[in-house]
């Protein structure tokens, strides 16, 4: 199959209506889109990604109005968060109605729903008469794509079309939030929207156990994810650590530091002015580029652990866990 990169939203919609899967731009990362109500399309998504069936998919819809047909109940706190963050990089875990296939939720009674903020994604979704299932458009376990070329390099000849919406704004995935029996938001996956931002809207916001900071002590215990093929380690004393290697056998990814050329030949600064938002925007592209250098080792600098810096560090630890 020949993979075409283009900007034809109507064509992408027609492919989706015919059970094909296409790459779709969003403000977070590129998604691998398919008709969420079609078993054929959803199975294709899992197959193209080589993703195990136990890992559920997010349904994407064009507006809050599309949510009630999919879920039994929307807590007040979810309403408040929808009002603030939809469209946007927040994914809502809500009790699913019968109409949502078990294949989407991997058997769970909760379904993940998101309204993306990218204008082309919204137009595409408006052109579809069904919710669009879309995991990140990378092979399972590998780095998520933030540019059409990332998708092309990873999935070429396995999908017919990549809808080109340019570089993704945010650069890391959405935050996944569920609600406990008291309707308090619980973060299942750290992402663009921070715990502090959610607290600012609805007072309280908890972290699901899987996000507890224990991974900072034992990254090896984690299942790897977001991983380059090249071995990656994390450093909080970069200037010292690089001295253990030859300048040309490593690639270094820093937050805003620059190391001397004679110590590292390949270095990527994620933000020149110390902005964590800019660092998140550049993170995956840096990992893709570093991985393409064929060096022995990638050393990534640990980021300040506040705001979206927590998300960056979490992604780095998972990338290092391979
Ligand atoms: O930013 C994003 O969320 C991107 C763009 C394309 O929208 N999508 C994305 O999808 O990151 P994916 O499949 O790579 O990650 C979805 C995450 C996974 O960690 C999955 O386990 C979780 O959401 N998830 C999805 N449905 C779930 C459910 N019903 N219950 C619990 N977790 C769920
Ligand atoms: Mg993913």
């Amino acid at each position: 199959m020949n993979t075409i990169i283009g900007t034809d939203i109507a064509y992408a919609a027609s492919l989706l209506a015919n059970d094909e899967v296409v790459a779709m731009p969003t403000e977070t990362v590129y998604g691998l889109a398919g008709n969420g109500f079609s078993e054929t399309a959803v199975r294709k998504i899992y197959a193209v990604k080589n993703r195990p069936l136990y890992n559920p998919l997010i349904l994407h819809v064009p507006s809050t109005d599309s949510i009630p047909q999919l879920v039994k109940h929307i807590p007040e706190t979810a309403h408040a968060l929808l009002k603030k963050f939809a469209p946007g990089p927040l994914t809502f875990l809500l009790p699913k109605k019968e109409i949502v296939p078990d294949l989407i939720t991997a058997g769970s009674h909760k379904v993940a729903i998101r309204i993306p903020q990218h204008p082309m994604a919204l137009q595409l979704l408006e052109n579809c008469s069904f919710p669009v299932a879309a995991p990140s458009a990378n092979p399972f376990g590998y780095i998520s794509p933030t540019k059409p070329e990332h998708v092309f390099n990873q999935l070429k000849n396995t999908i017919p079309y990549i809808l080109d919406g340019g570089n993704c704004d945010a650069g890391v995935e959405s935050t996944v939030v569920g609600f406990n029996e008291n309707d308090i938001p619980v973060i299942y996956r750290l992402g663009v929207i921070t715990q502090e931002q959610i607290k600012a809207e609805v007072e309280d916001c908890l972290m699901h156990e899987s996000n507890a900071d224990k991974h900072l002590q034992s990254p090896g215990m984690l299942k790897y994810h977001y991983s380059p093929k090249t071995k990656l380690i994390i450093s909080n004393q970069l200037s010292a650590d690089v001295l253990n290697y030859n300048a040309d056998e490593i690639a270094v990814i820093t937050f805003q530091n620059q190391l001397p050329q004679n110590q590292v030949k390949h270095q990527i600064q994620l933000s020149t002015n110390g902005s964590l938002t800019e660092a998140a925007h550049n993170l995956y592209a840096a990992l893709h580029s570093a991985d393409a250098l064929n060096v022995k080792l990638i050393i990534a600098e640990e980021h300040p652990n506040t705001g979206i810096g927590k998300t960056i560090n979490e992604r780095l630890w998972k990338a290092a866990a391979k």
Side-chain angles (χ1 to χ4, degrees):
M1 184 187 305
N2 237 343
T3 303
I4 296 165
I5 304 182
T7 56
D8 190 340
I9 294 172
Y11 179 58
S14 74
L15 287 170
L16 291 178
N18 283 302
D19 288 344
E20 291 296 341
V21 297
V22 306
M24 157 178 93
T26 83
E27 82 280 27
T28 58
V29 300
Y30 272 77
L32 187 61
N35 177 349
F37 283 166
S38 155
E39 180 171 343
T40 309
V42 174
R43 286 199 183 275
K44 275 187 193 170
I45 293 176
Y46 279 105
V48 166
K49 267 187 77 85
N50 197 15
R51 174 165 171 145
L53 288 171
Y54 60 72
N55 200 347
L57 306 179
I58 298 173
L59 288 182
H60 296 69
V61 294
S63 84
T64 310
D65 298 342
S66 318
I67 298 178
Q69 70 162 116
L70 301 171
V71 309
K72 287 183 179 154
H73 168 67
I74 305 177
E76 273 313 309
T77 40
H79 275 297
L81 294 177
L82 279 164
K83 206 166 164 210
K84 178 73 183 178
F85 297 113
L90 190 60
T91 294
F92 293 80
L93 270 180
L94 296 167
K96 82 177 193 75
K97 277 187 179 161
E98 206 66 36
I99 191 172
V100 176
D102 288 334
L103 197 55
I104 291 289
T105 66
S108 165
H109 63 282
K110 286 187 182 167
V111 59
I113 301 177
R114 178 163 111 80
I115 303 158
Q117 206 171 22
H118 195 291
M120 287 174 81
L122 285 173
Q123 273 190 53
L124 179 64
L125 295 174
E126 272 157 15
N127 273 274
C128 294
S129 58
F130 42 80
V132 169
S136 51
N138 51 284
F140 182 64
Y142 197 67
I143 310 160
S144 302
T146 56
K147 303 168 186 284
E149 306 84 76
H150 293 159
V151 182
F152 187 81
N153 291 338
Q154 300 182 55
L155 299 181
K156 60 176 166 287
N157 306 333
T158 64
I159 58 174
Y161 200 66
I162 298 171
L163 186 61
D164 182 352
N167 293 352
C168 300
D169 225 20
V172 292
E173 293 83 353
S174 65
T175 300
V176 177
V177 70
F179 300 87
N180 72 10
E181 58 285 359
N182 301 317
D183 290 349
I184 296 172
V186 181
I187 293 182
Y188 282 75
R189 175 179 70 179
L190 289 169
V192 180
I193 304 291
T194 64
Q195 187 179 17
E196 294 76 16
Q197 281 176 289
I198 293 176
K199 277 186 180 164
E201 297 308 311
V202 293
E203 278 171 46
D204 207 2
C205 175
L206 308 171
M207 270 302 170
H208 193 255
E209 274 171 21
S210 63
N211 284 304
D213 268 4
K214 60 179 184 274
H215 62 266
L216 294 176
Q217 292 141 38
S218 56
M221 301 288 290
L222 279 179
K223 236 179 46 203
Y224 78 91
H225 216 113
Y226 314 106
S227 299
K229 298 191 177 82
T230 314
K231 181 180 157 76
L232 179 145
I233 62 169
I234 298 171
S235 168
N236 54 17
Q237 38 160 11
L238 208 51
S239 327
D241 284 346
V242 296
L243 301 178
N244 297 323
Y245 305 92
N246 291 331
D248 57 357
E249 69 184 14
I250 53 172
V252 167
I253 298 176
T254 71
F255 174 36
Q256 57 173 333
N257 278 324
Q258 259 197 309
L259 300 173
Q261 268 292 320
N262 64 334
Q263 288 176 10
V264 275
K265 220 174 105 198
H266 308 289
Q267 56 181 315
I268 305 173
Q269 244 177 317
L270 294 183
S271 171
T272 45
N273 61 0
S275 152
L276 287 168
T277 302
E278 186 183 15
H281 170 79
N282 290 323
L283 178 67
Y284 290 152
L287 287 169
H288 280 281
S289 320
D291 204 18
L293 291 169
N294 283 315
V295 289
K296 253 196 186 158
L297 179 72
I298 299 169
I299 308 181
E301 182 174 33
E302 187 163 25
H303 280 56
N305 213 41
T306 63
I308 202 171
K310 280 189 190 160
T311 302
I312 295 173
N313 285 332
E314 191 263 355
R315 299 299 194 266
L316 288 175
W317 281 112
K318 285 200 171 162
K322 191 166 172 174

